[in-house]
Amino acid sequence: GTFVKALRLLRLFRFEKYTHAFTSFDDVVSRNIDVLMITGFSALILWVFFGSFLYFTERDSLDEEMASNYKTIPDAMWMTLLNLSGESPLCNYSVPGKVATGILGLFATAIFGIPIGILGSGFEEVIVEETEDDTQELVESGTSSGDELLGSSFERWCYNIVNGFGSPLARAVETAI
């Protein structure tokens, strides 16, 4: 029943032959796996350290809700994971707990920012490479100007305006874009 329905998600891989999204993602991850693994390991260390630290600072809190959420280290790690992901569900921390969650927030920004930047620049590199490959194929096939790909004169005119060829109007449109 449910397992068979879950297999329907595999249909998403059919789109690969049209967009190559999964291949591009795999290329980006494989090129940057070392930095991503270091970032993940750093996140794990921070998670364990701050979870243990908050367990020691908040387990004897006078606030019952705080004490119940930090009564064991696994419970403290769950709350720390929520704090690490930016979801701060509790607010009645002790002074050392407030300092720790503030520092945790700063580290969390870096832990999430580094992979986002790496993946973004990696996708940019992959797209530039794919674009260069497509341009090279056009040049090798003898359609370097792309005239055979543009059917009507209107399509050619639009192409020239968008790419800034020809008139001063075309250059103005290209600059504005």
Side-chain angles (χ1 to χ4, degrees):
T2 306
F3 177 72
V4 174
K5 289 179 182 178
L7 288 177
R8 292 179 189 170
L9 291 173
L10 294 176
R11 287 191 266 173
L12 289 173
F13 292 113
R14 287 192 300 178
F15 292 116
E16 178 65 18
K17 65 182 175 183
Y18 303 112
T19 64
H20 305 289
F22 297 114
T23 303
S24 297
F25 185 74
D26 180 53
D27 291 345
V28 170
V29 171
S30 64
R31 288 180 186 175
N32 299 300
I33 193 72
D34 51 346
V35 178
L36 293 172
M37 288 185 63
I38 290 170
T39 305
F41 183 70
S42 300
L44 180 68
I45 289 174
L46 288 172
W47 181 35
V48 171
F49 173 76
F50 280 102
S52 302
F53 184 79
L54 287 170
Y55 164 75
F56 287 116
T57 60
E58 304 300 323
R59 66 181 172 177
D60 297 326
S61 176
L62 298 176
D63 185 11
E64 278 299 315
E65 184 181 15
M66 292 297 289
S68 67
N69 284 309
Y70 289 96
K71 64 185 173 212
T72 64
I73 288 183
D75 289 339
M77 287 184 67
W78 168 247
M79 295 308 292
T80 305
L81 182 64
L82 292 177
N83 286 331
L84 189 62
S85 66
E87 177 74 31
S88 195
L90 303 173
C91 62
N92 296 327
Y93 286 99
S94 63
V95 173
K98 288 179 182 178
V99 170
T101 55
I103 294 170
L104 178 64
L106 293 174
F107 280 117
T109 304
I111 292 295
F112 282 101
I114 290 171
I116 289 170
I118 289 171
L119 292 175
S121 67
F123 277 117
E124 182 180 5
E125 290 173 6
V126 167
I127 288 172
V128 166
E129 287 176 6
E130 288 175 358
T131 305
E132 288 174 354
D133 290 344
D134 292 344
T135 305
Q136 186 65 28
E137 288 174 7
L138 283 175
V139 169
E140 290 172 358
S141 68
T143 59
S144 61
S145 64
D147 288 340
E148 289 85 16
L149 299 176
L150 301 174
S152 68
S153 61
F154 179 72
E155 289 175 344
R156 191 172 293 114
W157 180 77
C158 291
Y159 176 82
N160 288 337
I161 284 184
V162 169
N163 289 300
F165 300 128
S167 69
L169 172 65
R171 284 190 292 279
V173 169
E174 174 65 19
T175 305
I177 292 176

